[in-house]
């Protein structure tokens, strides 16, 4: 079995099956009555005092074991040479110590508290000699800890607190703090870290700067081993806890005070008008406080902790009032606020979030439980063809972006440049000038400083402004007609790909002349489009005929140069939609995973969250169906609740969301699962895992929505949907194939639907017929249930690979709003350690190769294949896995494509493969960068390892597809 957590003394640190690094949960074992015989106490050596816990000096929380008190007292008796039946003397002493602890009414005790009561019990029972020996032993141990730290820090130094007072730092306290942060982590050196910290600071430093020095020094050592990332996070956690409490706290003190900090956080947030007053009125705060699990803080790494601190923790008067577990509970309460039993549901939701089995999207984490609960992730709108509608759409963008909504705008209805304006007799300037306004609005409304405003604008390929639209992100040309801060995407009908493949003509129109094209798709679109082309030939309407292939060349060239516009596919989005009866899908969203109907009266809304796949692997690294089903069912309830709780800045969004109730359950950690399974991303096994994992999530999500419909009723527009007709997403693949092939049904051979323009797998493993019948009987609570979002930030928080992405690099520096972070592939480190290959020279060799290991001959070939990174995995494997997922999804997925040494032909072939594989959308097209990581590392002695540095890989020059003059195309 492959390990899933850091190892302690060569063994896996497992936390009650939760795979959390360095955490030991408290099992609910039952203990014989403590006032029983000494024989009972001995039997208790493997049991815990039910409901009581101990905080070790390291901050680790463990069950309260009475047998440890028994053993400590017996050792003291033996040490002084006590005579007689020692066991007979122990029972009343142990009972006295335990009773004293119980009288405190606390449930969690520090080591020193317990030892104090043992010492008192010995003295008060008349065992003076033993009690003194026990006290001396404690003093000796404390002196040894201080002596060791003083050897590492020979000179005393002082720090200045917030009040300006100076105090001498106790080296033993620093060392103890580092030991606490290293609990359960192998391959971290507290002595080395302490000496490095001391050498980097000066006497008289502020306490805040000293705390920061500890964190930063640990973070600089991450390249030596990823466990330093957990250590840095825990050191940072101490500083955050002190900020929250308003006084200096150790980890042990934080753990003990967590319940009290939670209650104070709720009351303070409500009083400051940051949190919803209902949190203080509807919930049993004591019961919620008791349910908090402080040990789960230890699963967060440095990038995750810094991200939470900078962007997610609620602040009052500039000071954070949350710690990680307080945040998860606040989010859970916000999502349970309308439940019949809100306290019970909040605990259920908290358990899912705090265990990282599921995570809501960023807007929900930002705003759940606050006074402005804007929890939805995505908003899609269609912009009308007059000034009031255009500027109304810009205003809507600003209002929706204010509270962290991501935006997708459909601009196809706006008339093209040069089109006649009836009211003035003038001519339109087209779409582009207005898009510059959209671009600047996204910059101006930056979501309260938490993250940049973000919008993607879509245009259909037949729009006469398409060529200028394609070049909006270009770095040359008239800056007044450029939008460098806004995303763009092509909304492409199937007919265009057919014309490109046939090297045929393509006609561009103004939507003011052909308004119905915007509302048509599939065969109906093709028929209407061809009819309009005939009208152009006859001179009845305006239209411009161009070479389809040359337009595609321009699209590919801009993809290579700028990564935009993204390629999205209009017809599969509509033909496979459950809501075809309710309208047309005119665009996707900011990240291309949402496919919902929009119109002049409806702004589509979607609420997102993602299942952490790696947390659902069993001991054999297979998906635990029971656990996954339970997670999905609770997650679906949480996402459905968002719709009713959500704050809507725009009525058109509220009306649409209430009527259709779409949600988007996604997934994350796909690459981590492959590492755990020992499978390469570029393999049939990975494609099969993509298939079965998504099928399971889809089945359980649709089942959960049906059960919610039984409890709460179906969504308003359910009748007429494909759900109501017994047609599930898998069935709609046949509809797509029929439309792509002139209305002809495609044959299924060996589980594959095969045609000239569509090849998709249609096999299934679960009992979909039973679910089909259930849905027809119960209805559906949600018009749409699944969408795989990028999960970049929430994956950082959970410390896993984002959504369905392959690893970008095994070593690299990630830059985001929180700063620069060294990231290292912890799975690779684990496997190289097992192969006895990990060390300074290997670190230098990997860094010298820009995070790649393919040409490091010392590494076994099996590992080199497994740890291929994004640009070394052929794009066909990403598309093959995405196609298997797409067959189950009622919406879409954020699929980045990675192209090493890109050329026009390579990019073109990749997108045609995506289209023929039945994908609905794609996201960024990323080409390999010429920038590399540092080419050497520094050993602990300061010496550099000399490693040959490979030549820097250069990108191909920009080219036109199949250009005979371009070397990159040949």
């Amino acid at each position: 079995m492959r390990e899933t957590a850091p190892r302690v003394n060569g063994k896996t640190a497992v936390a009650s099956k939760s795979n959390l690094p360095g955490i030991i949960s408290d099992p609910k074992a039952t203990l014989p009555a403590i006032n029983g015989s000494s024989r009972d106490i001995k039997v208790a050596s493997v049991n815990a005092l039910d409901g009581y816990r101990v905080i070790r000096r390291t901050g680790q929380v463990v069950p309260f074991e009475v047998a440890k008190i028994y053993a400590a007292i017996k050792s003291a008796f033996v040490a002084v040479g006590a005579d007689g039946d020692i066991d007979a003397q122990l029972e009343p002493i142990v009972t006295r110590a335990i009773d004293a602890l119980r009288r405190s009414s606390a449930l969690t005790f520090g080591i020193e508290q317990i030892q104090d009561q043992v010492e008192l019990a010995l003295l008060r029972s008349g065992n003076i000699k033993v009690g003194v020996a026990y006290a001396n032993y404690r003093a000796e141990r404390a002196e040894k800890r201080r002596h060791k730290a003083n050897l590492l820090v020979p000179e005393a130094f002082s720090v200045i607190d917030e009040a300006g007072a100076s105090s001498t730092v106790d080296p033993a306290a620093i060392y103890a703090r580092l030991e606490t942060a290293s609990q359960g982590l192998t391959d971290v050196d507290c002595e080395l870290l302490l000496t490095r910290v001391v050498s980097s600071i000066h006497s008289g430093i502020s306490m805040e700067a000293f705390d920061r020095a500890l964190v930063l020094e640990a973070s600089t050592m991450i390249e030596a081993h990823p466990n330093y990332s957990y250590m840095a996070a825990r050191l940072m956690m101490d500083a955050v806890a002190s900020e929250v409490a308003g006084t200096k706290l150790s980890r042990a003190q934080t753990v003990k005070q967590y319940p009290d900090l939670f209650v104070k956080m709720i009351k303070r947030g409500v009083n400051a008008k940051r949190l919803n007053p209902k949190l203080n009125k509807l919930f049993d705060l004591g019961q919620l406080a008791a349910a908090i699990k402080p040990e789960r803080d230890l699963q967060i790494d440095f990038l995750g902790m810094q991200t939470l601190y900078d962007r997610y923790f609620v602040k009052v008067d500039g000071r954070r009032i949350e710690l990680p577990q307080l945040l998860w509970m606040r989010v859970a309460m916000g999502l349970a606020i309308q439940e019949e039993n809100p306290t019970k549901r909040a605990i259920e939701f908290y358990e899912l979030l705090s265990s990282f089995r599921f995570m809501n999207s960023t807007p929900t984490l930002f705003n759940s439980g606050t006074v402005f609960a804007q929890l939805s992730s995505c908003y899609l709108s269609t912009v009308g063809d007059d000034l009031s509608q255009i500027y109304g759409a810009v205003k809507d963008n600003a209002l929706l972006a204010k509270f962290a909504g991501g935006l997708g705008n459909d601009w196809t209805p706006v008339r093209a440049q040069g089109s006649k304006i009836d009211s003035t007799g003038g001519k339109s300037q087209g779409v582009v000038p207005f898009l510059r306004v959209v671009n600047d609005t996204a910059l101006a409304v930056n979501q309260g400083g938490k993250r940049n405003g973000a919008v993607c604008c879509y245009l259909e390929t037949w729009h006469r402004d398409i060529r200028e639209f394609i070049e909006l992100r270009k770095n040359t040309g008239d800056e007044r007609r450029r939008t460098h801060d806004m995303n763009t995407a092509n909304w492409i009908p199937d007919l265009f790909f057919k014309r490109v493949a046939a090297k045929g003509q393509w006609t561009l129109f103004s939507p003011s002349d052909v308004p119905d094209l915007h509302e048509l798709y599939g065969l109906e679109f093709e028929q209407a489009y061809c009819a309009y082309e005939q009208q152009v030939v006859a001179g009845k309407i305006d239209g411009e005929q161009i070479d389809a292939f040359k337009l595609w060349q321009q699209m590919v060239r801009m993809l290579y140069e700028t990564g935009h516009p993204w390629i999205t596919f209009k017809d599969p989005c509509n033909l496979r939609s459950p809501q075809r009866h309710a309208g047309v899908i005119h665009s996707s969203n900011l990240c291309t995973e949402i496919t919902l109907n929009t119109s002049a009266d409806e702004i589509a809304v979607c609420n997102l969250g993602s299942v952490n796949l790696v947390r659902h692997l069993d001991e054999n690294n297979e998906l635990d169906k029971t656990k996954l089903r339970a997670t999905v069912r609770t997650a679906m309830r949480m996402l459905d609740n968002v719709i009713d709780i959500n704050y809507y800045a725009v009525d058109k969004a509220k009306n649409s969301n209430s009527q259709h109730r779409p949600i988007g359950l996604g997934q994350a950690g796909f690459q981590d699962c492959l590492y755990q399974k020992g499978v390469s991303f570029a393999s049939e096994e990975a494609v099969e895992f993509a298939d079965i994992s998504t099928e399971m999530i889809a089945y359980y999500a649709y089942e959960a929505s049906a059960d919610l419909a039984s409890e709460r009723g179906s969504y308003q527009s359910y009748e007429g949907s494909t759900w109501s007709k017994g047609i599930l997403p898998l069935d709609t693949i046949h509809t797509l194939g029929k439309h792509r092939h002139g209305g002809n049904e495609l044959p299924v051979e060996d589980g594959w639907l095969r045609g000239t323009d569509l090849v998709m797998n249609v096999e299934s493993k679960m009992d979909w017929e039973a679910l089909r019948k259930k849905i027809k009987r119960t209805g559906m609570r949600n018009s749409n249930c699944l969408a795989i979002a990028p999960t970049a930030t929430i994956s950082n928080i959970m410390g896993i690979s984002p959504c369905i992405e392959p690893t970008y690099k095994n070593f690299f520096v990630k830059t985001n709003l929180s700063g620069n972070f060294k990231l290292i592939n912890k799975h690779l480190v684990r496997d190289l350690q097992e192969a006895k290959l990990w060390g300074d020279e290997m670190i230098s060799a990997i860094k010298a190769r820009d995070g790649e290991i393919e040409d490091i001959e010392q590494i076994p070939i099996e590992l080199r294949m497994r740890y291929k990174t994004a640009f070394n995995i052929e794009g066909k494997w990403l598309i093959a896995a995405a196609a298997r997922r797409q067959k189950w999804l009622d919406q879409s997925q954020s699929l980045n494509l990675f192209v090493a040494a890109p050329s026009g032909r390579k990019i073109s072939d990749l997108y045609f493969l995506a289209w023929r594989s039945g994908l609905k959308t794609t996201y960024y097209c990323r080409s390999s960068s010429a920038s590399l990581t540092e080419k050497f590392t520094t050993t602990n002695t300061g010496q550099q390892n000399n490693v040959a540095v490979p030549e820097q890989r250069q990108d191909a020059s920009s080219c036109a597809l199949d250009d005979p003059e371009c070397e990159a195309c040949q």
Side-chain angles (χ1 to χ4, degrees):
M1 185 184 83
R2 188 166 299 279
E3 293 177 9
T4 55
R7 293 176 294 166
V8 181
N9 298 325
K11 298 180 180 179
T12 306
V14 179
S16 187
K17 299 183 180 181
S18 63
N19 298 332
L20 310 183
I23 302 168
I24 299 178
S25 298
D26 46 332
K28 297 297 183 182
T30 303
L31 180 74
I34 64 166
N35 58 356
S37 66
S38 59
R39 182 186 302 272
D40 292 330
I41 297 174
K42 290 179 181 179
V43 171
S45 62
V46 294
N47 291 325
L49 186 62
D50 192 28
Y52 288 77
R53 298 184 294 179
V54 176
I55 310 171
R56 292 179 174 172
R57 288 188 180 87
T58 62
Q60 182 186 18
V61 181
V62 297
F64 193 117
E65 296 183 29
V66 178
K68 293 243 176 133
I69 297 179
Y70 170 85
I73 298 175
K74 187 170 184 177
S75 295
F77 271 89
V78 172
V80 299
D83 298 324
D85 186 356
I86 295 176
D87 283 351
Q89 302 177 59
L90 296 182
E91 180 186 342
I93 300 172
V94 173
T95 301
R96 184 189 293 268
I98 295 297
D99 284 346
L101 291 169
R102 277 182 161 168
R103 283 195 297 272
S104 72
S105 75
L107 295 176
T108 305
F109 304 99
I111 289 292
E112 295 295 335
Q113 284 180 281
I114 298 171
Q115 290 183 344
D116 285 345
Q117 294 304 326
V118 170
E119 188 175 323
L120 286 171
L122 284 167
L123 296 173
R124 289 170 178 170
S125 63
N127 293 282
I128 306 300
K129 185 178 180 181
V130 179
V132 170
Y134 183 77
N136 289 338
Y137 171 77
R138 293 177 64 192
E140 288 172 7
R141 296 295 298 174
E143 181 58 31
K144 285 182 179 179
R145 289 194 293 271
R146 282 193 293 272
H147 179 69
K148 184 175 183 181
N150 285 327
L151 290 176
L152 298 170
V153 189
E155 296 183 9
F157 60 94
S158 62
V159 295
I160 309 298
D161 63 21
E162 291 183 359
S166 175
S167 60
T168 300
V169 171
D170 180 4
I174 306 173
Y175 189 73
R177 185 173 171 187
L178 295 180
E179 281 195 317
T180 297
S182 68
Q183 175 63 40
L185 302 176
T186 60
D187 302 288
V188 293
D189 189 334
C190 293
E191 296 181 10
L192 174 63
L193 182 55
L194 180 55
T195 55
R196 287 181 60 161
V197 170
V198 172
S199 67
S200 69
I201 62 176
H202 58 85
S203 187
I205 191 174
S206 71
M207 180 61 74
E208 180 183 356
F210 176 70
D211 288 341
R212 188 162 58 247
L214 286 175
V215 174
L216 293 179
E217 202 62 55
S219 71
T220 64
M221 299 174 71
I222 289 172
E223 66 181 33
H225 198 281
N227 278 348
Y228 280 105
S229 183
Y230 293 104
M231 195 171 185
R234 297 172 187 185
L235 291 168
M236 184 177 178
M237 199 91 63
D238 292 342
V240 179
S242 299
E243 179 180 342
V244 171
T247 185
K248 196 70 179 173
L249 293 181
S250 67
R251 178 61 188 168
Q253 291 169 327
T254 300
V255 170
K256 189 171 183 179
Q257 292 189 30
Y258 235 122
D260 185 51
L261 290 174
F262 166 70
V263 175
K264 288 181 178 178
M265 181 266 292
I266 297 297
K267 295 184 181 300
R268 187 175 181 193
V270 169
N271 290 339
K273 298 183 179 179
R274 287 286 287 114
L275 299 184
N276 191 328
K278 291 181 180 179
L279 301 191
N280 200 23
K281 297 177 181 178
L282 298 180
F283 295 87
D284 184 331
L285 297 185
Q287 192 175 343
L288 294 180
I292 288 175
K293 297 181 177 178
E295 63 270 21
R296 288 184 173 173
D297 282 349
L298 304 184
Q299 68 191 322
I300 303 173
D301 66 13
F302 179 51
L303 173 57
M305 186 61 198
Q306 188 70 57
T307 302
L308 288 174
Y309 181 81
D310 288 340
R311 299 166 63 184
Y312 289 84
F313 292 153
V314 169
K315 290 187 287 186
V316 171
D317 297 329
R319 198 176 94 190
R320 278 82 181 167
I321 64 172
E322 290 185 324
L323 288 165
Q325 302 312 309
L326 305 186
L327 182 151
W328 308 136
M329 187 59 84
R330 183 256 300 167
V331 173
M333 294 169 73
L335 294 177
I337 208 163
Q338 293 188 5
E339 291 278 2
E340 185 175 341
N341 188 335
T343 298
K344 180 181 177 181
R345 287 296 184 187
I347 293 173
E348 178 186 349
F349 298 166
Y350 165 80
E351 183 64 26
L352 218 58
L353 294 168
S354 65
S355 65
F356 288 173
R357 286 166 59 182
F358 166 80
M359 190 60 60
N360 287 100
S361 63
T362 285
T364 304
L365 301 183
F366 279 171
N367 300 323
S368 181
T370 68
V371 290
F372 287 105
Q374 197 300 107
L375 313 180
S376 294
S377 305
C378 306
Y379 295 85
L380 286 68
S381 63
T382 288
V383 181
D385 186 33
D386 65 58
L387 278 179
S388 62
Q389 290 177 307
I390 289 170
Y391 281 97
V394 173
K395 178 183 176 182
D396 290 345
N397 278 0
L399 292 172
L400 294 169
K402 179 179 179 180
F403 296 102
L407 309 171
N409 294 163
D410 157 37
W411 283 83
T412 299
V414 177
R415 69 190 62 201
Q417 185 175 3
S419 298
K420 182 181 178 182
I421 302 174
D422 292 335
S423 59
T424 65
K427 292 186 177 181
S428 170
Q429 293 191 67
V431 172
V432 170
F434 298 115
L435 296 184
R436 178 65 188 230
V437 178
V438 173
N439 179 89
D440 293 346
T441 301
L443 284 177
V445 185
N446 70 345
Q447 303 183 5
K450 293 181 177 179
R451 61 177 182 176
N452 295 328
V455 60
C456 181
C457 292
Y458 288 75
L459 200 70
E460 286 203 47
T461 316
W462 51 262
H463 196 290
R464 205 164 64 212
D465 289 346
I466 189 66
R467 288 167 295 187
E468 193 171 4
F469 177 83
I470 290 169
E471 298 191 342
L472 281 171
R473 296 281 299 234
K474 196 172 182 178
N475 291 319
T476 58
D478 185 352
E479 279 297 303
R480 292 171 297 180
R481 303 184 78 80
R482 295 289 179 263
T483 58
H484 301 297
D485 306 289
M486 182 193 81
N487 300 299
T488 57
N490 287 306
W491 192 241
I492 307 176
D494 285 348
L495 183 59
F496 178 72
F497 283 98
K498 295 177 182 179
R499 294 280 180 89
V500 172
K503 300 289 182 73
Q505 293 291 304
W506 186 248
T507 306
L508 303 180
F509 300 97
S510 173
S512 54
D513 296 324
V514 290
D516 58 329
L517 287 186
H518 186 238
E519 302 298 324
L520 299 174
Y521 52 85
L523 288 173
E524 291 183 359
F525 173 87
E526 290 194 17
Q527 292 164 2
Y529 184 87
C530 292
Y532 280 128
E533 285 186 311
Q534 292 301 314
Q535 291 188 45
V536 171
V537 173
K540 295 182 179 179
I541 61 172
D542 291 333
E544 180 184 356
Q545 287 201 327
I546 62 173
D547 188 314
F549 188 76
K550 287 189 180 297
L551 181 58
W552 178 241
Q553 281 182 309
Q554 185 184 0
M555 290 180 177
V556 170
R557 185 185 300 114
M558 287 301 103
L559 275 170
Y560 171 77
E561 289 185 12
T562 70
H564 290 83
W566 303 327
I567 303 298
T568 56
F569 310 109
K570 174 184 180 179
D571 290 313
C573 288
N574 279 283
L575 292 168
R576 298 198 60 205
S577 168
Q579 290 290 96
R580 291 171 60 184
H581 71 300
V584 177
I585 300 170
H586 296 115
S587 72
S588 187
N589 65 317
L590 173 66
C591 304
T592 76
E593 80 277 13
I594 303 304
T595 54
L596 299 173
N597 309 328
T598 58
S599 68
D601 301 319
E602 290 190 8
I603 293 178
V605 187
C606 202
N607 319 298
L608 303 179
S610 297
V611 174
N612 181 352
L613 285 175
V614 76
R615 286 297 168 105
H616 294 84
L617 294 180
D618 61 20
E619 294 181 352
N620 298 314
N621 290 315
E622 301 297 333
L623 286 172
D624 184 329
K625 294 182 179 180
T626 302
K627 186 176 182 180
L628 183 59
R629 181 175 183 265
T631 293
V632 169
R633 291 180 68 80
T634 299
M636 290 290 290
R637 188 179 195 94
M638 294 166 74
L639 292 175
D640 186 64
N641 285 356
V642 167
I643 297 167
D644 299 313
I645 298 167
N646 196 48
Y647 167 79
Y648 296 93
V650 177
D651 286 338
K652 287 190 288 185
K654 181 177 183 180
N655 297 337
S656 174
N657 217 23
S658 300
Q659 184 178 1
H660 309 304
R661 305 190 67 86
I663 57 179
L665 181 67
Q667 57 183 265
F670 178 77
Q671 174 72 91
D672 291 297
C673 288
L674 298 184
Y675 289 144
Q676 290 297 113
K677 295 168 74 66
V679 170
S680 170
F681 206 113
S683 67
E684 288 293 342
E685 293 87 348
V687 174
E688 288 294 330
F689 182 70
D691 194 336
I692 185 57
S693 58
T694 309
E695 180 179 8
M696 290 170 65
I697 291 173
Y699 190 97
Y700 299 141
Y702 300 150
E703 175 192 50
S705 187
D707 288 336
L708 282 170
S710 294
E711 176 186 345
R712 298 173 168 179
S714 292
Y715 67 94
Q716 293 177 26
S717 60
Y718 170 75
E719 290 301 329
S721 68
T722 59
W723 304 112
S724 70
K725 299 175 182 178
I727 300 172
L728 302 183
L730 181 65
D731 307 322
T732 61
I733 295 175
H734 298 272
T735 304
L736 176 60
K738 184 176 180 179
H739 276 258
R740 280 210 180 153
H741 294 84
N744 299 313
E745 296 281 355
L746 291 182
V748 176
E749 301 173 0
D750 299 323
W752 289 82
L753 191 74
R754 297 184 185 276
T756 305
D757 296 325
L758 182 67
V759 179
M760 288 191 76
N761 184 283
V762 291
E763 293 176 307
S764 60
K765 293 180 174 62
M766 302 181 77
D767 189 356
W768 288 92
E769 187 56 37
L771 183 57
R772 190 191 316 275
K773 292 177 180 177
K774 178 175 187 171
I775 291 172
K776 290 200 71 174
R777 183 174 66 253
T778 64
M780 288 285 282
R781 180 64 174 169
N782 314 99
S783 65
N784 298 76
C785 299
L786 299 179
I788 302 177
T791 76
T793 309
I794 63 172
S795 289
N796 289 344
I797 294 169
M798 294 188 287
I800 59 173
S801 56
C803 61
I804 52 177
E805 295 270 292
T807 296
Y808 173 66
K809 298 285 185 184
N810 289 310
F811 279 20
F812 72 103
V813 176
K814 181 182 182 71
T815 301
N816 62 20
L817 290 177
S818 296
N820 298 326
F821 298 87
K822 292 181 178 179
L823 297 184
I824 182 171
N825 190 330
K826 58 189 175 184
H827 303 279
L828 173 62
V829 173
R830 174 200 62 207
D831 284 346
L832 289 178
Q833 282 185 313
E834 289 181 356
K836 302 187 185 306
L837 293 171
W838 185 249
D840 289 332
E841 290 188 8
M842 181 60 69
I843 294 170
S844 293
I846 298 174
K847 290 176 71 177
R849 289 159 175 80
D850 198 20
E852 310 294 349
I853 67 171
E854 281 192 283
D855 66 343
I856 302 179
E857 294 182 357
Q858 301 98 304
I859 299 177
I861 187 65
E862 186 270 336
L863 291 184
R864 283 187 268 165
M865 291 297 295
R866 185 185 309 167
Y867 290 100
K868 280 189 171 186
T869 56
F871 290 107
N872 290 317
I873 297 170
E874 290 185 70
K876 68 178 185 180
W877 291 110
L878 277 72
I879 291 172
R884 294 293 190 94
R885 296 186 197 96
Q886 191 63 78
K887 70 177 178 178
W888 305 113
L889 302 177
D890 55 10
Q891 294 197 70
S892 191
Q893 55 195 310
S894 292
L895 177 68
N896 288 322
L897 297 177
F898 300 85
V899 186
S903 69
R905 178 176 294 170
K906 188 182 291 186
I907 293 173
S908 176
D909 288 348
L910 204 56
Y911 280 101
F912 262 89
L913 177 61
W915 176 67
R916 291 192 174 105
S917 298
L919 300 189
K920 293 182 178 181
T921 60
T922 62
Y923 199 19
Y924 283 97
C925 177
R926 302 190 185 276
S927 58
S928 54
S929 172
S931 62
L932 302 180
T933 55
E934 299 173 51
K935 295 302 183 294
F936 63 86
T937 188
T938 303
T939 66
N940 295 340
T941 60
Q943 296 176 339
Q944 294 176 5
N945 288 308
N946 296 320
V947 178
V949 180
E951 289 188 11
Q952 188 169 322
R953 182 174 59 226
Q954 298 290 346
D955 290 341
S957 60
S958 178
C959 61
L961 182 65
D962 278 340
D963 186 343
E965 303 295 324
C966 178
E967 293 182 4
C969 279
Q970 305 312 310

